[in-house]
Amino acid sequence: FVAALVEKGVKVVVATRSDLEVLRPAFEGFDPEKVVLYAEPSMTYGNVKWDAWRRACALNKLRHCSTIALTGSGYGVKSALLAGMGSVAVIRPHVAYQDFGGADEIISELNGTTARAVLEVLRV
């Protein structure tokens, strides 16, 4: 998924609350200018608040209005909308009951096919 985005010139910022050292091996083969691991300090449970999306953009030199939030909750979709960003929702069974209205695209997994859907939203 990430390789397909990077191949088209998309900068990928992986915003997480996880320990970055645990994630780093999964992204070792990527140019660190194109795939950035970002530790989000916000401690909300179940989603990312709008200010966290904006902070991730600002700290990684991205314009929020031309950035897509890839999120796994309906709450994350709403937060991205509040931040002035587009969003792509990844719906998994445990969150399928949530309201994903407002998402630019809804996908069920991360792979090459769904990367194409994200690229279409980005118009790349």
Side-chain angles (χ1 to χ4, degrees), residues 9-72:
V10 174
K11 181 175 183 176
V12 175
V13 176
V14 180
T16 182
R17 293 183 193 118
S18 298
D19 180 356
L20 294 183
E21 293 310 312
V22 173
L23 292 177
R24 214 170 294 287
F27 297 97
E28 278 181 347
F30 292 103
D31 177 347
E33 294 293 316
K34 299 289 182 192
V35 178
V36 177
L37 301 181
Y38 165 71
E40 171 50 48
S42 174
M43 290 299 165
T44 18
Y45 177 76
N47 75 344
V48 176
K49 289 188 172 183
W50 73 270
D51 61 319
W53 290 124
R54 285 283 187 98
R55 187 171 34 257
C57 289
L59 293 173
N60 288 285
K61 299 180 177 80
L62 299 170
R63 294 177 42 211
H64 68 275
C65 58
S66 61
T67 301
I68 295 295
L70 184 65
T71 181

Short mmCIF file of all heavy atoms in Angstrom, two decimals, residues 9-72:
data_model
loop_
_atom_site.label_atom_id
_atom_site.label_comp_id
_atom_site.label_asym_id
_atom_site.label_seq_id
_atom_site.Cartn_x
_atom_site.Cartn_y
_atom_site.Cartn_z
N GLY A 9 4.72 9.46 -6.01
CA GLY A 9 5.21 10.74 -5.51
C GLY A 9 4.47 11.28 -4.30
O GLY A 9 4.64 12.45 -3.95
N VAL A 10 3.69 10.45 -3.65
CA VAL A 10 2.94 10.88 -2.47
C VAL A 10 3.82 10.73 -1.23
O VAL A 10 4.46 9.70 -1.03
CB VAL A 10 1.66 10.02 -2.30
CG1 VAL A 10 0.95 10.34 -1.00
CG2 VAL A 10 0.74 10.21 -3.49
N LYS A 11 3.87 11.77 -0.43
CA LYS A 11 4.56 11.69 0.86
C LYS A 11 3.60 11.04 1.84
O LYS A 11 2.44 11.44 1.95
CB LYS A 11 4.95 13.09 1.36
CG LYS A 11 5.69 13.06 2.69
CD LYS A 11 6.15 14.45 3.10
CE LYS A 11 6.93 14.40 4.39
NZ LYS A 11 7.46 15.73 4.74
N VAL A 12 4.07 10.04 2.56
CA VAL A 12 3.25 9.31 3.51
C VAL A 12 3.74 9.60 4.92
O VAL A 12 4.92 9.41 5.22
CB VAL A 12 3.31 7.78 3.25
CG1 VAL A 12 2.54 7.01 4.31
CG2 VAL A 12 2.81 7.46 1.85
N VAL A 13 2.85 10.08 5.76
CA VAL A 13 3.17 10.31 7.17
C VAL A 13 2.35 9.31 7.97
O VAL A 13 1.13 9.32 7.91
CB VAL A 13 2.84 11.75 7.61
CG1 VAL A 13 3.10 11.93 9.10
CG2 VAL A 13 3.65 12.75 6.80
N VAL A 14 3.04 8.44 8.68
CA VAL A 14 2.38 7.46 9.53
C VAL A 14 2.32 8.07 10.93
O VAL A 14 3.31 8.11 11.65
CB VAL A 14 3.14 6.12 9.55
CG1 VAL A 14 2.43 5.11 10.45
CG2 VAL A 14 3.31 5.57 8.13
N ALA A 15 1.15 8.59 11.27
CA ALA A 15 0.95 9.20 12.59
C ALA A 15 0.45 8.11 13.53
O ALA A 15 -0.54 7.44 13.24
CB ALA A 15 -0.06 10.34 12.50
N THR A 16 1.13 7.94 14.64
CA THR A 16 0.81 6.85 15.54
C THR A 16 1.08 7.24 16.99
O THR A 16 1.83 8.17 17.26
CB THR A 16 1.63 5.59 15.18
OG1 THR A 16 1.27 4.52 16.05
CG2 THR A 16 3.12 5.85 15.30
N ARG A 17 0.46 6.52 17.90
CA ARG A 17 0.76 6.65 19.32
C ARG A 17 1.68 5.51 19.76
O ARG A 17 2.08 5.45 20.90
CB ARG A 17 -0.53 6.64 20.13
CG ARG A 17 -1.37 7.86 19.87
CD ARG A 17 -2.61 7.86 20.75
NE ARG A 17 -3.52 8.86 20.25
CZ ARG A 17 -4.73 8.59 19.78
NH1 ARG A 17 -5.19 7.38 19.75
NH2 ARG A 17 -5.49 9.56 19.35
N SER A 18 1.97 4.61 18.85
CA SER A 18 2.86 3.48 19.14
C SER A 18 4.30 3.95 19.25
O SER A 18 4.66 5.03 18.78
CB SER A 18 2.77 2.43 18.04
OG SER A 18 1.49 1.90 17.95
N ASP A 19 5.12 3.09 19.80
CA ASP A 19 6.55 3.34 19.89
C ASP A 19 7.13 3.31 18.47
O ASP A 19 7.00 2.32 17.76
CB ASP A 19 7.20 2.26 20.76
CG ASP A 19 8.70 2.42 20.92
OD1 ASP A 19 9.31 3.32 20.31
OD2 ASP A 19 9.27 1.61 21.68
N LEU A 20 7.75 4.40 18.05
CA LEU A 20 8.28 4.48 16.68
C LEU A 20 9.34 3.43 16.41
O LEU A 20 9.47 2.96 15.29
CB LEU A 20 8.83 5.88 16.41
CG LEU A 20 7.82 7.02 16.39
CD1 LEU A 20 8.50 8.32 16.02
CD2 LEU A 20 6.68 6.73 15.42
N GLU A 21 10.09 3.05 17.42
CA GLU A 21 11.14 2.05 17.23
C GLU A 21 10.54 0.68 16.87
O GLU A 21 11.17 -0.11 16.17
CB GLU A 21 12.03 1.95 18.47
CG GLU A 21 12.86 3.21 18.71
CD GLU A 21 13.62 3.68 17.47
OE1 GLU A 21 14.28 2.85 16.81
OE2 GLU A 21 13.55 4.88 17.14
N VAL A 22 9.34 0.42 17.32
CA VAL A 22 8.67 -0.83 16.98
C VAL A 22 8.24 -0.81 15.52
O VAL A 22 8.32 -1.81 14.82
CB VAL A 22 7.45 -1.07 17.91
CG1 VAL A 22 6.64 -2.27 17.46
CG2 VAL A 22 7.91 -1.24 19.36
N LEU A 23 7.81 0.35 15.01
CA LEU A 23 7.35 0.47 13.63
C LEU A 23 8.48 0.60 12.62
O LEU A 23 8.33 0.20 11.47
CB LEU A 23 6.46 1.71 13.49
CG LEU A 23 5.12 1.67 14.18
CD1 LEU A 23 4.40 2.99 14.00
CD2 LEU A 23 4.28 0.53 13.65
N ARG A 24 9.58 1.16 13.05
CA ARG A 24 10.67 1.49 12.12
C ARG A 24 11.09 0.33 11.20
O ARG A 24 11.26 0.53 9.99
CB ARG A 24 11.87 2.04 12.90
CG ARG A 24 12.62 3.09 12.14
CD ARG A 24 13.66 3.80 12.98
NE ARG A 24 13.15 4.60 14.07
CZ ARG A 24 12.52 5.78 13.95
NH1 ARG A 24 12.29 6.27 12.75
NH2 ARG A 24 12.11 6.44 14.99
N PRO A 25 11.25 -0.89 11.70
CA PRO A 25 11.67 -1.98 10.80
C PRO A 25 10.72 -2.22 9.61
O PRO A 25 11.16 -2.59 8.53
CB PRO A 25 11.71 -3.21 11.71
CG PRO A 25 11.93 -2.66 13.08
CD PRO A 25 11.20 -1.34 13.10
N ALA A 26 9.44 -1.99 9.79
CA ALA A 26 8.48 -2.21 8.71
C ALA A 26 8.65 -1.21 7.57
O ALA A 26 8.21 -1.47 6.45
CB ALA A 26 7.05 -2.12 9.26
N PHE A 27 9.30 -0.08 7.83
CA PHE A 27 9.44 0.97 6.82
C PHE A 27 10.90 1.24 6.46
O PHE A 27 11.20 2.25 5.83
CB PHE A 27 8.77 2.25 7.33
CG PHE A 27 7.29 2.10 7.54
CD1 PHE A 27 6.77 1.81 8.79
CD2 PHE A 27 6.41 2.20 6.47
CE1 PHE A 27 5.41 1.65 8.98
CE2 PHE A 27 5.05 2.04 6.65
CZ PHE A 27 4.55 1.75 7.90
N GLU A 28 11.80 0.33 6.81
CA GLU A 28 13.24 0.54 6.58
C GLU A 28 13.61 0.77 5.12
O GLU A 28 14.51 1.54 4.84
CB GLU A 28 14.03 -0.66 7.10
CG GLU A 28 14.28 -0.61 8.57
CD GLU A 28 15.08 -1.79 9.05
OE1 GLU A 28 15.24 -2.78 8.31
OE2 GLU A 28 15.55 -1.73 10.20
N GLY A 29 12.95 0.14 4.18
CA GLY A 29 13.34 0.26 2.78
C GLY A 29 12.92 1.54 2.10
O GLY A 29 13.27 1.78 0.96
N PHE A 30 12.18 2.39 2.81
CA PHE A 30 11.66 3.62 2.20
C PHE A 30 12.55 4.82 2.48
O PHE A 30 13.18 4.91 3.53
CB PHE A 30 10.26 3.92 2.74
CG PHE A 30 9.22 2.94 2.31
CD1 PHE A 30 8.78 1.95 3.17
CD2 PHE A 30 8.68 3.00 1.03
CE1 PHE A 30 7.81 1.04 2.78
CE2 PHE A 30 7.72 2.09 0.62
CZ PHE A 30 7.29 1.11 1.50
N ASP A 31 12.57 5.74 1.53
CA ASP A 31 13.26 7.01 1.71
C ASP A 31 12.60 7.76 2.87
O ASP A 31 11.39 8.00 2.84
CB ASP A 31 13.13 7.81 0.41
CG ASP A 31 13.75 9.20 0.46
OD1 ASP A 31 14.08 9.69 1.56
OD2 ASP A 31 13.87 9.81 -0.62
N PRO A 32 13.36 8.14 3.90
CA PRO A 32 12.77 8.82 5.06
C PRO A 32 12.18 10.20 4.76
O PRO A 32 11.44 10.74 5.57
CB PRO A 32 13.93 8.92 6.06
CG PRO A 32 15.16 8.68 5.28
CD PRO A 32 14.78 7.90 4.06
N GLU A 33 12.46 10.73 3.59
CA GLU A 33 11.82 11.98 3.16
C GLU A 33 10.43 11.72 2.58
O GLU A 33 9.60 12.61 2.56
CB GLU A 33 12.69 12.69 2.11
CG GLU A 33 14.02 13.18 2.64
CD GLU A 33 13.87 14.29 3.68
OE1 GLU A 33 13.06 15.20 3.44
OE2 GLU A 33 14.56 14.22 4.70
N LYS A 34 10.21 10.49 2.12
CA LYS A 34 8.93 10.13 1.49
C LYS A 34 7.99 9.41 2.45
O LYS A 34 6.78 9.48 2.29
CB LYS A 34 9.18 9.24 0.27
CG LYS A 34 10.00 9.89 -0.80
CD LYS A 34 9.22 10.97 -1.49
CE LYS A 34 10.05 11.57 -2.61
NZ LYS A 34 9.47 12.79 -3.12
N VAL A 35 8.54 8.66 3.41
CA VAL A 35 7.74 7.95 4.40
C VAL A 35 8.26 8.36 5.78
O VAL A 35 9.37 8.03 6.16
CB VAL A 35 7.82 6.42 4.24
CG1 VAL A 35 7.02 5.72 5.32
CG2 VAL A 35 7.33 6.01 2.86
N VAL A 36 7.43 9.11 6.48
CA VAL A 36 7.81 9.68 7.77
C VAL A 36 6.99 9.02 8.87
O VAL A 36 5.77 8.92 8.77
CB VAL A 36 7.55 11.20 7.79
CG1 VAL A 36 7.88 11.80 9.13
CG2 VAL A 36 8.32 11.88 6.67
N LEU A 37 7.68 8.57 9.91
CA LEU A 37 6.99 8.06 11.09
C LEU A 37 6.87 9.21 12.07
O LEU A 37 7.86 9.84 12.43
CB LEU A 37 7.77 6.89 11.70
CG LEU A 37 8.00 5.70 10.79
CD1 LEU A 37 8.76 4.61 11.53
CD2 LEU A 37 6.70 5.17 10.24
N TYR A 38 5.66 9.47 12.50
CA TYR A 38 5.38 10.63 13.36
C TYR A 38 4.66 10.16 14.62
O TYR A 38 3.62 9.50 14.54
CB TYR A 38 4.51 11.62 12.57
CG TYR A 38 3.86 12.67 13.42
CD1 TYR A 38 4.61 13.69 14.00
CD2 TYR A 38 2.50 12.63 13.67
CE1 TYR A 38 4.00 14.64 14.80
CE2 TYR A 38 1.89 13.59 14.46
CZ TYR A 38 2.65 14.58 15.03
OH TYR A 38 2.04 15.52 15.82
N ALA A 39 5.20 10.50 15.77
CA ALA A 39 4.58 10.15 17.05
C ALA A 39 3.60 11.25 17.45
O ALA A 39 3.99 12.39 17.68
CB ALA A 39 5.65 9.98 18.12
N GLU A 40 2.32 10.91 17.50
CA GLU A 40 1.28 11.87 17.88
C GLU A 40 1.10 11.82 19.40
O GLU A 40 0.81 10.77 19.95
CB GLU A 40 -0.04 11.52 17.18
CG GLU A 40 -1.25 12.29 17.65
CD GLU A 40 -1.06 13.79 17.70
OE1 GLU A 40 -0.57 14.38 16.73
OE2 GLU A 40 -1.41 14.37 18.73
N PRO A 41 1.29 12.95 20.05
CA PRO A 41 1.22 12.97 21.53
C PRO A 41 -0.20 12.95 22.11
O PRO A 41 -0.38 12.67 23.28
CB PRO A 41 1.93 14.27 21.90
CG PRO A 41 1.71 15.16 20.71
CD PRO A 41 1.72 14.24 19.51
N SER A 42 -1.21 13.25 21.30
CA SER A 42 -2.58 13.29 21.81
C SER A 42 -2.99 11.93 22.37
O SER A 42 -2.73 10.90 21.78
CB SER A 42 -3.53 13.70 20.68
OG SER A 42 -4.86 13.61 21.12
N MET A 43 -3.67 11.95 23.50
CA MET A 43 -4.04 10.70 24.15
C MET A 43 -5.53 10.38 24.07
O MET A 43 -6.05 9.66 24.88
CB MET A 43 -3.61 10.73 25.63
CG MET A 43 -2.13 10.67 25.81
SD MET A 43 -1.52 9.12 25.10
CE MET A 43 0.20 9.45 25.02
N THR A 44 -6.24 10.89 23.08
CA THR A 44 -7.67 10.54 22.94
C THR A 44 -7.77 9.07 22.57
O THR A 44 -6.94 8.54 21.87
CB THR A 44 -8.35 11.34 21.82
OG1 THR A 44 -7.37 11.87 20.96
CG2 THR A 44 -9.25 12.38 22.31
N TYR A 45 -8.85 8.46 22.99
CA TYR A 45 -9.06 7.05 22.68
C TYR A 45 -10.06 6.91 21.54
O TYR A 45 -11.10 7.54 21.54
CB TYR A 45 -9.61 6.32 23.92
CG TYR A 45 -9.91 4.88 23.63
CD1 TYR A 45 -8.87 3.96 23.53
CD2 TYR A 45 -11.20 4.45 23.41
CE1 TYR A 45 -9.13 2.64 23.24
CE2 TYR A 45 -11.47 3.13 23.12
CZ TYR A 45 -10.42 2.23 23.03
OH TYR A 45 -10.69 0.92 22.73
N GLY A 46 -9.72 6.08 20.58
CA GLY A 46 -10.66 5.74 19.52
C GLY A 46 -10.66 6.62 18.30
O GLY A 46 -11.35 6.32 17.33
N ASN A 47 -9.92 7.69 18.31
CA ASN A 47 -9.84 8.53 17.12
C ASN A 47 -8.72 9.54 17.25
O ASN A 47 -7.99 9.55 18.22
CB ASN A 47 -11.16 9.24 16.85
CG ASN A 47 -11.42 10.40 17.78
OD1 ASN A 47 -10.79 10.54 18.83
ND2 ASN A 47 -12.36 11.25 17.43
N VAL A 48 -8.63 10.39 16.27
CA VAL A 48 -7.67 11.49 16.26
C VAL A 48 -8.48 12.77 16.21
O VAL A 48 -9.36 12.92 15.36
CB VAL A 48 -6.74 11.39 15.02
CG1 VAL A 48 -5.82 12.58 14.94
CG2 VAL A 48 -5.95 10.10 15.05
N LYS A 49 -8.22 13.69 17.11
CA LYS A 49 -8.94 14.97 17.10
C LYS A 49 -8.43 15.84 15.95
O LYS A 49 -7.33 15.64 15.43
CB LYS A 49 -8.76 15.68 18.43
CG LYS A 49 -9.51 15.01 19.55
CD LYS A 49 -9.47 15.87 20.79
CE LYS A 49 -10.38 15.27 21.84
NZ LYS A 49 -10.43 16.10 23.03
N TRP A 50 -9.24 16.83 15.59
CA TRP A 50 -8.91 17.68 14.44
C TRP A 50 -7.55 18.35 14.59
O TRP A 50 -6.81 18.48 13.62
CB TRP A 50 -10.00 18.72 14.20
CG TRP A 50 -10.01 19.83 15.21
CD1 TRP A 50 -10.68 19.86 16.39
CD2 TRP A 50 -9.27 21.03 15.14
NE1 TRP A 50 -10.41 21.02 17.07
CE2 TRP A 50 -9.54 21.76 16.31
CE3 TRP A 50 -8.39 21.57 14.20
CZ2 TRP A 50 -8.97 23.00 16.58
CZ3 TRP A 50 -7.83 22.81 14.46
CH2 TRP A 50 -8.12 23.51 15.63
N ASP A 51 -7.20 18.77 15.81
CA ASP A 51 -5.93 19.47 15.99
C ASP A 51 -4.74 18.53 15.79
O ASP A 51 -3.67 18.97 15.36
CB ASP A 51 -5.86 20.15 17.36
CG ASP A 51 -5.97 19.19 18.53
OD1 ASP A 51 -6.78 18.25 18.47
OD2 ASP A 51 -5.25 19.39 19.52
N ALA A 52 -4.92 17.25 16.04
CA ALA A 52 -3.84 16.29 15.81
C ALA A 52 -3.57 16.13 14.31
O ALA A 52 -2.42 16.03 13.88
CB ALA A 52 -4.19 14.95 16.44
N TRP A 53 -4.65 16.11 13.50
CA TRP A 53 -4.46 16.05 12.05
C TRP A 53 -3.69 17.28 11.58
O TRP A 53 -2.75 17.17 10.78
CB TRP A 53 -5.79 15.99 11.31
CG TRP A 53 -6.58 14.72 11.45
CD1 TRP A 53 -7.87 14.62 11.89
CD2 TRP A 53 -6.19 13.39 11.11
NE1 TRP A 53 -8.28 13.31 11.85
CE2 TRP A 53 -7.28 12.54 11.37
CE3 TRP A 53 -5.01 12.84 10.60
CZ2 TRP A 53 -7.22 11.16 11.16
CZ3 TRP A 53 -4.96 11.48 10.39
CH2 TRP A 53 -6.05 10.65 10.66
N ARG A 54 -4.09 18.46 12.06
CA ARG A 54 -3.42 19.69 11.65
C ARG A 54 -1.96 19.70 12.11
O ARG A 54 -1.08 20.14 11.38
CB ARG A 54 -4.15 20.91 12.24
CG ARG A 54 -5.44 21.27 11.57
CD ARG A 54 -5.15 21.98 10.23
NE ARG A 54 -6.35 22.49 9.64
CZ ARG A 54 -6.78 23.73 9.74
NH1 ARG A 54 -6.12 24.63 10.42
NH2 ARG A 54 -7.89 24.09 9.13
N ARG A 55 -1.72 19.23 13.34
CA ARG A 55 -0.36 19.19 13.87
C ARG A 55 0.51 18.26 13.02
O ARG A 55 1.64 18.60 12.68
CB ARG A 55 -0.41 18.73 15.34
CG ARG A 55 0.87 18.79 16.08
CD ARG A 55 0.76 18.53 17.59
NE ARG A 55 -0.26 17.57 17.99
CZ ARG A 55 -1.44 17.89 18.53
NH1 ARG A 55 -1.76 19.16 18.71
NH2 ARG A 55 -2.30 16.96 18.89
N ALA A 56 -0.02 17.09 12.67
CA ALA A 56 0.74 16.15 11.84
C ALA A 56 1.11 16.80 10.51
O ALA A 56 2.23 16.62 10.01
CB ALA A 56 -0.06 14.87 11.62
N CYS A 57 0.20 17.55 9.93
CA CYS A 57 0.48 18.25 8.67
C CYS A 57 1.56 19.31 8.87
O CYS A 57 2.55 19.36 8.13
CB CYS A 57 -0.78 18.89 8.11
SG CYS A 57 -1.98 17.73 7.47
N ALA A 58 1.36 20.16 9.85
CA ALA A 58 2.28 21.28 10.07
C ALA A 58 3.71 20.80 10.37
O ALA A 58 4.67 21.34 9.81
CB ALA A 58 1.78 22.16 11.22
N LEU A 59 3.83 19.80 11.21
CA LEU A 59 5.15 19.31 11.59
C LEU A 59 5.85 18.54 10.47
O LEU A 59 7.05 18.30 10.54
CB LEU A 59 5.07 18.46 12.86
CG LEU A 59 4.67 19.23 14.11
CD1 LEU A 59 4.45 18.29 15.29
CD2 LEU A 59 5.73 20.28 14.45
N ASN A 60 5.09 18.18 9.44
CA ASN A 60 5.67 17.46 8.32
C ASN A 60 5.62 18.25 7.01
O ASN A 60 5.74 17.70 5.93
CB ASN A 60 4.97 16.11 8.16
CG ASN A 60 5.36 15.18 9.28
OD1 ASN A 60 6.47 14.65 9.28
ND2 ASN A 60 4.50 15.00 10.26
N LYS A 61 5.40 19.56 7.16
CA LYS A 61 5.43 20.50 6.03
C LYS A 61 4.43 20.12 4.93
O LYS A 61 4.75 20.15 3.75
CB LYS A 61 6.84 20.62 5.48
CG LYS A 61 7.83 21.16 6.49
CD LYS A 61 9.21 21.26 5.90
CE LYS A 61 10.18 21.86 6.87
NZ LYS A 61 10.71 20.99 7.87
N LEU A 62 3.21 19.78 5.36
CA LEU A 62 2.13 19.46 4.44
C LEU A 62 1.01 20.48 4.61
O LEU A 62 0.76 20.93 5.73
CB LEU A 62 1.58 18.06 4.71
CG LEU A 62 2.57 16.91 4.54
CD1 LEU A 62 1.98 15.62 5.07
CD2 LEU A 62 2.96 16.76 3.08
N ARG A 63 0.32 20.78 3.54
CA ARG A 63 -0.85 21.67 3.61
C ARG A 63 -2.07 20.81 3.89
O ARG A 63 -2.35 19.88 3.13
CB ARG A 63 -1.00 22.44 2.31
CG ARG A 63 0.15 23.40 2.08
CD ARG A 63 0.09 24.13 0.76
NE ARG A 63 -1.26 24.57 0.47
CZ ARG A 63 -1.75 24.68 -0.75
NH1 ARG A 63 -1.01 24.36 -1.79
NH2 ARG A 63 -2.98 25.09 -0.95
N HIS A 64 -2.79 21.13 4.93
CA HIS A 64 -3.94 20.31 5.31
C HIS A 64 -4.99 20.21 4.20
O HIS A 64 -5.64 19.20 4.04
CB HIS A 64 -4.57 20.79 6.62
CG HIS A 64 -5.24 22.12 6.51
ND1 HIS A 64 -4.55 23.30 6.64
CD2 HIS A 64 -6.52 22.44 6.26
CE1 HIS A 64 -5.38 24.31 6.48
NE2 HIS A 64 -6.60 23.81 6.25
N CYS A 65 -5.13 21.28 3.42
CA CYS A 65 -6.17 21.28 2.38
C CYS A 65 -5.82 20.38 1.20
O CYS A 65 -6.69 20.09 0.38
CB CYS A 65 -6.45 22.71 1.92
SG CYS A 65 -5.02 23.57 1.30
N SER A 66 -4.59 19.90 1.11
CA SER A 66 -4.21 18.99 0.02
C SER A 66 -3.71 17.65 0.57
O SER A 66 -2.96 16.95 -0.08
CB SER A 66 -3.16 19.63 -0.88
OG SER A 66 -2.00 19.93 -0.15
N THR A 67 -4.16 17.34 1.78
CA THR A 67 -3.75 16.12 2.45
C THR A 67 -4.97 15.24 2.72
O THR A 67 -6.05 15.75 2.97
CB THR A 67 -3.07 16.47 3.80
OG1 THR A 67 -1.94 17.31 3.53
CG2 THR A 67 -2.60 15.23 4.53
N ILE A 68 -4.78 13.96 2.67
CA ILE A 68 -5.84 13.00 2.96
C ILE A 68 -5.51 12.31 4.27
O ILE A 68 -4.39 11.81 4.45
CB ILE A 68 -5.95 11.94 1.84
CG1 ILE A 68 -6.36 12.56 0.53
CG2 ILE A 68 -6.90 10.81 2.24
CD1 ILE A 68 -7.75 13.16 0.52
N ALA A 69 -6.47 12.27 5.17
CA ALA A 69 -6.33 11.50 6.41
C ALA A 69 -6.83 10.09 6.15
O ALA A 69 -7.95 9.91 5.67
CB ALA A 69 -7.13 12.16 7.52
N LEU A 70 -6.03 9.11 6.42
CA LEU A 70 -6.44 7.72 6.32
C LEU A 70 -6.75 7.29 7.75
O LEU A 70 -5.87 7.26 8.60
CB LEU A 70 -5.31 6.89 5.73
CG LEU A 70 -5.58 5.42 5.48
CD1 LEU A 70 -6.64 5.27 4.40
CD2 LEU A 70 -4.31 4.73 5.06
N THR A 71 -8.00 6.97 8.01
CA THR A 71 -8.43 6.74 9.38
C THR A 71 -9.27 5.48 9.50
O THR A 71 -9.93 5.09 8.54
CB THR A 71 -9.20 7.96 9.93
OG1 THR A 71 -9.58 7.72 11.27
CG2 THR A 71 -10.40 8.29 9.09
N GLY A 72 -9.24 4.89 10.66
CA GLY A 72 -9.97 3.66 10.90
C GLY A 72 -11.21 3.82 11.74
O GLY A 72 -11.69 2.84 12.31
#
